[in-house]
C-alpha cells in the first residue's frame, strides 16, 4: 500500500518516525512523507531512507487564517496527486487540516495521533481559553474525518472524551508515543562527576525552562560544580522563551545553552540526569531517549511525563511549576551520585520493556490494518 505520513517538521520525521517508516517499507509498503520545506538536510535524510518527500506550506504556530487555508488547499492537492491508501498524521495542524483535506480527497484510510495537547489546552489566560474553544471545535471537525485516533497517554484521551471531541464512530487506540530505537540510543558510560543535568526540548515556557533556570540558580549557590544544560531549537510566537532570556541565563552561568542538534546522543553521553519539568506532554521522546541510554530522569507529575518515570525507580517526579521541588530532586543526585547509575540502569530496563520503537511501530501498523483492505463503516469519507 501507499502510506502518506504527514508531519510538521522534517527533523521530527527523521528523529522520531524512522523506525516506523523502515517497518512499513520492510513489509512492502511505499511511503511518502509530507512536510514543510526549508530543511534540506532533513529532506536528504528522508530521501536516503527510500521515501519520497512532498512539501506543503505550514505556519506551525501562527494564527493567520489565510495561511491555514493555503495549507489545507496544498494538502488537498497533494492527496489528490498521491492517492495514498493510508494517511498517518500527527501534531495539531497536520491533524486538523490533513484529516479534513484527506477526507475531501477520499483517502480510504485516515489515522491521526494526538502527540500532546500543547499551548491551546493550557487555558490559564483569556487568550488561551479562547484558543482552546477554537481548537476544540477544529479538532472535533477533524476527528470526524478519521477512522482511528491514537493517544499517547490516558489524560489526553480523557480530555478529548470529556469535551466530546472524538465522535462515537471513531476507533480510539493507545500508543507509547513513537517509542525509542534501543540500538541507536545504546547505553552509555555513567557520568557522576561533575553531576550534569540536561533539559532537551524546544525553547518554550511549557517545557518548564523558567522553573529549571530558577532551580539551577538555587543549586549553583550550594553546588557550584554541578552543571545545568539546555539543548533545543529556539521558538517564536506565543509561549516561547526569548533567546535574550536564554543568553542572559548563559552569561550569568546559571545554565549552559548548548544550541540545537540533529543528534542528541553526544549530549546525552555527557549528561548524568535528563530533566523535563514540562507542564504537559504526549509521551516525551527526550526522556525516553535518555532512559534508553541509561540516564536517570526527573520529570513533573504531569500528563505524559507520568508515562516514563516510575518515581524512585528510574528517577523522580516533582510537583508542577515548583522550582523548589525540582531543585530538591536534582540535589539528591548531587549529594548521592550512586543514584545516577542505579536509576540509569532501571531506566534502560524500562525502555526495553515498554518503549521499544520496533514494538510501537508494529502495534500502530496492526491497529491501522495495513495488511488488509480499508475497513468499511466508521465515519463518512
Amino acid at each position: 500500500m501507499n502510506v502518506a505520513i504527514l508531519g510538521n517538521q522534517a527533523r521530527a520525521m527523521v528523529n522520531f518516525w524512522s523506525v516506523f517508516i523502515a517497518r512499513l517499507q520492510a513489509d512492502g509498503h511505499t511511503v511518502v512523507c509530507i512536510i514543510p520545506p526549508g530543511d534540506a538536510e532533513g529532506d536528504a535524510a528522508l530521501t536516503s531512507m527510500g521515501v519520497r518527500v512532498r512539501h506543503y506550506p505550514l505556519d506551525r504556530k501562527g494564527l493567520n487564517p489565510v495561511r491555514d487555508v493555503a495549507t489545507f488547499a496544498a494538502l488537498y492537492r497533494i492527496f489528490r496527486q498521491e492517492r495514498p491508501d493510508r494517511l498517518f498524521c500527527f501534531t495539531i495542524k497536520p491533524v486538523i487540516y490533513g484529516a479534513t483535506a484527506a477526507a475531501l480527497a477520499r483517502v480510504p484510510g485516515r489515522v491521526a495521533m494526538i502527540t500532546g495537547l500543547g499551548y491551546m489546552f493550557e487555558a490559564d489566560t483569556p487568550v488561551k481559553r479562547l484558543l482552546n474553544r477554537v481548537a476544540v471545535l477544529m479538532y472535533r471537525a477533524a476527528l470526524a474525518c478519521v477512522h482511528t485516533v491514537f493517544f499517547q497517554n490516558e489524560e489526553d484521551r480523557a480530555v478529548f472524551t470529556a469535551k466530546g471531541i472524538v465522535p462515537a464512530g471513531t476507533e480510539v487506540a493507545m500508543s507509547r508515543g513513537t517509542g525509542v530505537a534501543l540500538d541507536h540510543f545504546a547505553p552509555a558510560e555513567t557520568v557522576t562527576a561533575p553531576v550534569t543535568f540536561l533539559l532537551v526540548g524546544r525553547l518554550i515556557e511549557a517545557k518548564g525552562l523558567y522553573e529549571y533556570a530558577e532551580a539551577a540558580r538555587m543549586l549553583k549557590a550550594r553546588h557550584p560544580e554541578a552543571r545545568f544544560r539546555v539543548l533545543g531549537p529556539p521558538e517564536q510566537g506565543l509561549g516561547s522563551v526569548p533567546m535574550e532570556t536564554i543568553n542572559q541565563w548563559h552569561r550569568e552561568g546559571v545554565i549552559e545553552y548548548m544550541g540545537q542538534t540533529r543528534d542528541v546522543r553526544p549530549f546525552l553521553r555527557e549528561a548524568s540526569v535528563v530533566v523535563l519539568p514540562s507542564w504537559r506532554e504526549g509521551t516525551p521522546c527526550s526522556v525516553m531517549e535518555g532512559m534508553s541510554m541509561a540516564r536517570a530522569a526527573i520529570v513533573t507529575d504531569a500528563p505524559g511525563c507520568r508515562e516514563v518515570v516510575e518515581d524512585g525507580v528510574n528517577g523522580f517526579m516533582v510537583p508542577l511549576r515548583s522550582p523548589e521541588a525540582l531543585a530538591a530532586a536534582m540535589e539528591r543526585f548531587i549529594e548521592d551520585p550512586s543514584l545516577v547509575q542505579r536509576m540509569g540502569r532501571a531506566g534502560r530496563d524500562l525502555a526495553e520493556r515498554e518503549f521499544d520503537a520496533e514494538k510501537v511501530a508494529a502495534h500502530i501498523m496492526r491497529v491501522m490494518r495495513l495488511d488488509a483492505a480499508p475497513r468499511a463503516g466508521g465515519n463518512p469519507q
Side-chain angles (χ1 to χ4, degrees):
M1 291 188 180
N2 183 19
V3 180
I5 305 178
L6 172 63
N8 67 353
Q9 285 182 312
R11 176 182 302 188
M13 192 77 74
V14 173
N15 288 347
F16 305 136
W17 293 103
S18 292
V19 172
F20 180 55
I21 291 169
R23 185 65 181 256
L24 287 167
Q25 293 171 317
D27 282 11
H29 303 290
T30 60
V31 179
V32 55
C33 290
I34 307 171
I35 49 177
D39 184 351
E41 191 172 343
D43 289 355
L46 289 168
T47 301
S48 70
M49 294 166 58
V51 306
R52 288 186 303 105
V53 173
R54 294 293 306 267
H55 291 144
Y56 73 104
L58 178 67
D59 185 358
R60 285 177 51 227
K61 299 187 71 174
L63 303 174
N64 186 324
V66 175
R67 292 178 180 174
D68 287 349
V69 168
T71 294
F72 177 87
L75 289 173
Y76 173 76
R77 286 194 299 271
I78 290 171
F79 294 141
R80 292 291 291 177
Q81 293 163 0
E82 294 291 335
R83 297 290 183 184
D85 301 295
R86 295 286 191 275
L87 168 68
F88 181 79
C89 54
F90 54 92
T91 69
I92 182 168
K93 286 193 176 183
V95 168
I96 287 173
Y97 299 119
T100 50
L104 188 62
R106 297 191 178 278
V107 174
R110 304 180 294 273
V111 176
M113 176 173 280
I114 307 302
T115 54
L117 301 192
Y119 183 87
M120 287 190 283
F121 279 82
E122 291 160 19
D124 56 0
T125 68
V127 171
K128 290 180 182 179
R129 282 190 286 273
L130 175 61
L131 291 174
N132 175 263
R133 287 194 289 270
V134 173
V136 166
L137 292 173
M138 297 182 76
Y139 261 132
R140 191 174 290 152
L143 296 188
C145 296
V146 304
H147 302 101
T148 304
V149 55
F150 281 94
F151 290 95
Q152 295 189 352
N153 63 69
E154 289 291 347
E155 286 95 340
D156 288 357
R157 176 178 178 170
V159 169
F160 273 52
T161 300
K163 292 181 177 291
I165 297 174
V166 182
T170 300
E171 179 183 24
V172 173
M174 302 301 297
S175 169
R176 286 291 202 178
T178 62
V180 60
L182 298 175
D183 292 340
H184 188 69
F185 291 95
E189 184 178 350
T190 303
V191 177
T192 57
V195 176
T196 301
F197 301 94
L198 176 66
L199 188 158
V200 180
R202 293 176 295 132
L203 302 187
I204 57 176
E205 60 184 9
K207 294 295 181 183
L209 280 165
Y210 287 104
E211 295 89 329
Y212 182 67
E214 183 58 29
R217 194 184 300 276
M218 295 176 194
L219 291 172
K220 274 290 186 180
R222 300 194 294 272
H223 306 281
E225 76 286 355
R227 308 180 77 172
F228 305 89
R229 292 178 164 180
V230 173
L231 176 70
E235 287 282 347
Q236 295 181 345
L238 296 171
S240 62
V241 177
M243 275 308 302
E244 53 262 36
T245 299
I246 300 292
N247 291 333
Q248 181 63 29
W249 291 337
H250 188 94
R251 286 192 297 269
E252 292 173 358
V254 175
I255 61 131
E256 299 174 61
Y257 177 54
M258 312 303 291
Q260 57 183 307
T261 183
R262 292 182 182 275
D263 186 357
V264 301
R265 291 174 299 171
F267 300 91
L268 288 170
R269 291 189 190 101
E270 295 175 357
S272 311
V273 181
V274 293
V275 182
L276 188 65
S278 177
W279 301 353
R280 189 178 199 109
E281 294 286 325
T283 303
C285 292
S286 64
V287 179
M288 288 191 292
E289 291 165 353
M291 290 164 52
S292 185
M293 292 186 67
R295 295 299 179 253
I298 301 173
V299 301
T300 41
D301 187 10
C305 296
R306 286 189 282 266
E307 303 287 319
V308 295
V309 168
E310 295 180 3
D311 192 35
V313 178
N314 68 308
F316 297 115
M317 282 194 291
V318 299
L320 194 63
R321 305 195 196 192
S322 174
E324 295 79 10
L326 179 59
M330 290 195 287
E331 193 165 37
R332 294 181 69 173
F333 288 104
I334 297 171
E335 295 182 341
D336 184 3
S338 68
L339 290 174
V340 173
Q341 186 170 29
R342 177 169 65 81
M343 290 187 165
R345 286 197 303 266
R348 173 66 187 192
D349 291 343
L350 181 60
E352 290 176 351
R353 291 196 313 270
E354 302 288 343
F355 299 105
D356 183 350
E358 291 286 349
K359 297 177 183 177
V360 171
H363 168 66
I364 293 172
M365 290 175 63
R366 281 195 300 271
V367 173
M368 291 177 68
R369 301 177 195 173
L370 283 164
D371 55 349
R375 50 193 181 279
N379 297 306
Q381 296 180 20

